[in-house]
């Protein structure tokens, strides 16, 4: 889902629809009920998904900021376990605007109405539908702009080698993917994608239909055309994702969709605001889960902000097809469930893609964490777009001429980092940095020298198999303003896939946290 205004994000944070679903009754007894199509645990998960979806489309303000696309994803994947009134409610929430609502006065049902004069324009790959009367009316001019925008986005993704959205079951007269215009801003959304299918088409891949706002009149910080463009780029990419694997991790789905906005509409840059809620952000200002201490793979509003991880990888590995980076496509191809059974989840796919590029997730995650400490000279658009600087979370060290080595020790959860700075003194020349990392397979340390006149110089700390290592860097007073050390835990180990937390694959290894120690000593 494309979230609405930046101002709305300063209100209470995103309700974690995916996390709420996964966390329900993880220890429920799997007792089969002959009258149901799922176990007790599956029914509990489905009921939680229904509750989250109802909140996501609530017209009374409760749903503002809730991730509607991912809430609906959880619902259509789990609805097979629902029965009776719950199943009917799920079907109603997933219904298209052309389906008559059970309750015409229910604001959750976005419906054109039974007597609507449906307007339709089709390309060989998709159809756009709208009405020109009633609360969901769009003007012919805006509908034409929307059609051209969808055609442009679809063409770029296809040329870049992405799968097209899967054909549907013949709704609206044929199997082309359907898009609808309506007043969805009234329920706090600029766009969404979902499925009204009874099950996947193949593997874990589902067909989708999508909705966009009918005028984007309530996005005063953007023109309607700009708001439409980035929303289509974001939501259409969700439809593409569903064609690979609709049941993968929410953080991956939202972070890559947000990253693709910037690739197709680089001159809009609305997603730069969301960086404040990811690992670049300051939790003191924007509140948890912002900041480097929240795992990269957790799913909350930070998933939107962590599109910065893909920006970092895209700039590091800048090979493209049709102007679109190959790396994001390769990750989704690694998750493809349509050709054969595929048990990979998000982090495992990233591991696979980075390994093929002769690097690793721990290595690139540590480099990303370091780059966030000095974004202005690490990202192409950081200065122009005002990228935030991640906060230091390790107490600063002020060395003196005869001071003993200073020591700092931190505990790092998986895919988190911590950074601290060391300040030179009159007469200082070199700084010895020693690290002791619990697990050299996943932990990394990076040292960045901040020059007094501006600019940085960065080096990783080489470590032995026992996790110990050191590096000596310039520390000349007057030439060096500070030296920063970033300690990172790049673990992608996962267990318990399928329930229990909002992390990737439903959970991470209980022993994937680690301790890291760094010591500083002026030498020379």
């Amino acid at each position: 889902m494309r979230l609405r205004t930046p101002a709305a994000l300063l209100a209470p944070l995103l309700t974690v629809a995916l996390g709420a679903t996964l966390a329900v009754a993880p220890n429920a007894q799997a007792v089969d009920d002959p009258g149901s199509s799922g176990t007790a645990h599956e029914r509990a998960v489905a009921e939680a998904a229904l509750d989250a979806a109802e909140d996501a489309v609530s017209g009374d303000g409760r749903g503002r900021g809730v991730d509607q696309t991912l809430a609906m994803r959880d619902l259509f994947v789990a609805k097979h376990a629902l029965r009776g009134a719950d199943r009917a409610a799920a079907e109603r929430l997933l219904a298209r605007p052309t389906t008559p609502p059970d309750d015409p006065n229910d604001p959750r049902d976005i419906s054109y109405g039974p007597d609507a004069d449906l307007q339709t324009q089709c390309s060989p790959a998709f159809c756009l539908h709208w009405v020109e009367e009633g609360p969901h009316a769009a003007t012919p001019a805006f509908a034409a702009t929307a059609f051209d925008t969808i055609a442009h986005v679809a063409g770029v993704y296809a040329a870049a080698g992405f799968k097209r959205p899967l054909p549907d079951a013949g709704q609206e007269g044929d199997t082309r993917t359907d898009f609808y215009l309506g007043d969805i801003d009234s329920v706090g959304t600029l766009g969404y994608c979902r499925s009204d299918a009874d099950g996947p088409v193949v593997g874990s891949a589902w067909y989708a239909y999508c909705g966009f706002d009918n005028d984007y009149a309530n996005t005063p910080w953007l023109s309607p055309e700009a708001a439409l463009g980035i929303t289509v780029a974001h939501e259409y990419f969700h439809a593409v994702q569903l064609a690979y694997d609709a049941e993968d991790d929410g953080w991956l789905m939202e972070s890559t969709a947000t990253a693709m906005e910037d690739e197709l509409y680089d001159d809009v840059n609305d997603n730069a605001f969301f960086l404040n809620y990811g690992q670049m952000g300051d939790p003191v200002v924007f509140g948890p889960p912002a900041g480097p201490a929240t795992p990269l793979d957790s799913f909350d509003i930070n998933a939107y902000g962590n599109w910065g991880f893909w920006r970092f990888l895209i700039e590091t590995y800048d090979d493209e097809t049709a102007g679109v980076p190959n790396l994001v496509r390769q990750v989704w191809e690694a998750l493809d469930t349509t050709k054969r059974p595929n048990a990979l989840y998000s982090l495992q796919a990233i591991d696979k893609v980075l390994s093929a590029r002769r690097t690793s997730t721990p290595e690139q995650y540590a480099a990303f964490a370091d780059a966030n400490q000095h974004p202005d000279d690490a990202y192409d658009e950081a200065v122009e777009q005002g990228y935030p600087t991640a906060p230091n979370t390790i107490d600063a060290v002020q060395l003196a001429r005869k001071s003993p080595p200073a020591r700092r020790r931190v505990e790092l959860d998986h895919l988190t980092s911590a950074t601290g700075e060391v300040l030179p003194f009159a007469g200082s020349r070199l700084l010895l940095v020693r690290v002791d990392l619990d697990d050299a397979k996943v932990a990394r340390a990076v040292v960045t020298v901040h020059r007094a006149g501006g600019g940085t110089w960065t080096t990783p700390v080489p470590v032995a198999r026992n996790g110990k290592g050191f590096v000596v860097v310039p520390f000349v007073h007057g030439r060096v303003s500070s030296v920063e050390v970033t300690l990172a835990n790049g673990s992608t180990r996962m267990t318990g896939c399928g329930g229990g937390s909002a992390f990737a694959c439903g959970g991470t290894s209980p022993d994937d946290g680690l301790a890291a120690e760094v010591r500083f000593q002026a030498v020379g």
Side-chain angles (χ1 to χ4, degrees):
M1 180 193 75
R2 190 59 170 79
L3 288 178
R4 60 174 310 196
T5 71
L9 294 177
L10 298 177
L13 294 179
L14 180 77
T15 298
V16 189
L18 180 62
T21 301
L22 291 176
V24 169
N27 298 314
Q29 296 296 311
V31 179
D32 288 318
D33 177 351
S36 172
S37 60
T39 65
H41 176 60
E42 288 175 332
R43 292 195 298 276
V45 167
E47 289 166 1
L50 177 59
D51 289 343
E54 288 177 330
D55 282 347
V57 296
S58 172
D60 62 5
R62 290 183 300 134
R64 296 190 184 276
V66 178
D67 189 296
Q68 190 175 129
T69 291
L70 270 294
M72 292 298 178
R73 186 282 303 268
D74 289 347
L75 181 59
F76 69 68
V77 167
K79 73 174 182 179
H80 69 276
L82 297 173
R83 281 292 182 269
D86 284 346
R87 179 62 178 260
E91 298 286 1
R92 183 172 67 249
L93 288 170
L94 295 169
R96 298 166 184 244
T98 50
T99 301
D102 292 348
D103 179 2
N105 297 315
D106 187 343
R108 299 175 305 178
D109 283 329
I110 300 173
S111 173
Y112 291 154
D115 300 320
D117 183 13
L118 186 66
Q119 307 295 308
T120 296
Q121 183 178 1
C122 294
S123 78
F126 70 88
C127 290
L128 174 67
H129 311 281
W130 73 97
V131 293
E132 295 178 0
E133 296 180 349
H136 298 293
T139 66
F142 187 83
T145 299
F147 183 88
D148 291 342
T149 302
I150 298 169
H152 167 69
V153 170
V156 171
Y157 285 145
F162 286 101
K163 281 179 175 288
R164 291 187 182 273
L166 296 180
D168 65 24
Q171 293 89 336
E172 314 301 359
D174 60 40
T175 61
R176 285 175 284 191
T177 301
D178 294 303
F179 300 91
Y180 302 87
L181 301 179
D183 183 22
I184 59 176
D185 181 71
S186 63
V187 290
T189 303
L190 299 184
Y192 64 78
C193 275
R194 61 186 63 153
S195 182
D196 56 355
D198 288 329
V201 176
V202 58
S204 297
W206 294 62
Y207 69 71
Y209 74 89
C210 304
F212 306 116
D213 195 63
N214 58 344
D215 56 17
Y216 291 96
N218 294 311
T219 57
W221 70 100
L222 291 174
S223 69
E225 293 77 15
L228 173 66
I230 59 174
T231 302
V232 173
H234 184 110
E235 296 303 330
Y236 193 100
F237 196 69
H238 279 317
V240 169
Q241 294 166 345
L242 300 190
Y244 290 99
D245 179 14
E247 300 173 27
D248 213 284
D249 296 314
W251 83 272
L252 178 74
M253 299 185 84
E254 286 302 347
S255 64
T256 55
T258 307
M260 296 308 290
E261 297 175 29
D262 201 53
E263 296 304 317
L264 271 69
Y265 292 93
D266 185 52
D267 58 341
V268 177
N269 296 301
D270 184 61
N271 59 357
F273 173 81
F274 290 99
L275 294 173
N276 291 298
Y277 292 92
Q279 290 202 342
M280 292 187 192
D282 187 344
V284 174
V285 178
F286 292 92
T294 297
L296 181 75
D297 66 327
S298 59
F299 179 51
D300 204 311
I301 194 172
N302 61 320
Y304 292 88
N306 283 334
W307 74 269
F309 178 64
W310 300 103
R311 167 54 57 190
F312 174 79
L313 292 179
I314 286 167
E315 292 188 11
T316 302
Y317 302 99
D318 59 357
D319 53 293
E320 299 179 340
T321 299
V324 178
N326 293 323
L327 189 141
V328 175
R329 188 194 74 247
Q330 291 164 352
V331 168
W332 280 101
E333 288 174 341
L335 294 166
D336 191 359
T337 63
T338 65
K339 299 176 181 178
R340 63 187 66 87
N342 187 351
L344 291 186
Y345 280 79
S346 59
L347 296 178
Q348 296 160 332
I350 294 170
D351 285 341
K352 180 178 180 180
V353 170
L354 291 179
S355 177
R357 291 171 177 264
R358 300 182 183 277
T359 184
S360 68
T361 305
E363 185 173 334
Q364 294 306 314
Y365 175 71
F368 165 68
D370 169 76
N372 295 342
Q373 301 298 139
H374 50 100
D376 286 0
D377 58 7
Y379 294 92
D380 289 344
E381 296 184 342
V383 175
E384 176 188 356
Q385 300 304 323
Y387 283 17
T389 299
N392 285 0
T393 55
I394 300 175
D395 291 341
V397 173
Q398 174 64 73
L399 292 178
R401 183 177 299 277
K402 296 184 178 181
S403 63
R407 177 178 303 185
R408 295 288 186 269
R409 186 174 179 83
V410 295
E411 299 289 330
L412 296 172
D413 200 350
H414 73 284
L415 296 174
T416 67
S417 66
T419 300
E421 67 175 354
V422 189
L423 304 176
F425 56 89
S428 61
R429 298 181 59 189
L430 298 171
L431 179 69
L432 171 64
V433 180
R434 292 187 180 274
V435 299
D436 187 355
L437 310 176
D438 271 1
D439 188 344
K441 292 182 179 180
V442 298
R444 297 290 187 274
V446 181
V447 175
T448 294
V449 177
H450 289 258
R451 300 185 181 96
T456 59
W457 175 77
T458 296
T459 181
V461 180
V463 298
R465 291 184 178 180
N466 63 3
K468 298 180 186 296
F470 71 92
V471 69
V472 178
V473 298
F475 200 49
V476 179
H477 183 261
R479 296 184 182 179
V480 173
S481 60
S482 68
V483 173
E484 284 188 327
V485 178
T486 296
L487 304 171
N489 178 356
S491 173
T492 59
R493 294 186 291 257
M494 294 181 288
T495 60
C497 296
S501 89
F503 293 137
C505 196
T508 57
S509 172
D511 61 352
D512 69 349
L514 57 82
E517 182 178 275
V518 58
R519 287 178 290 170
F520 309 104
Q521 184 175 6
V523 296

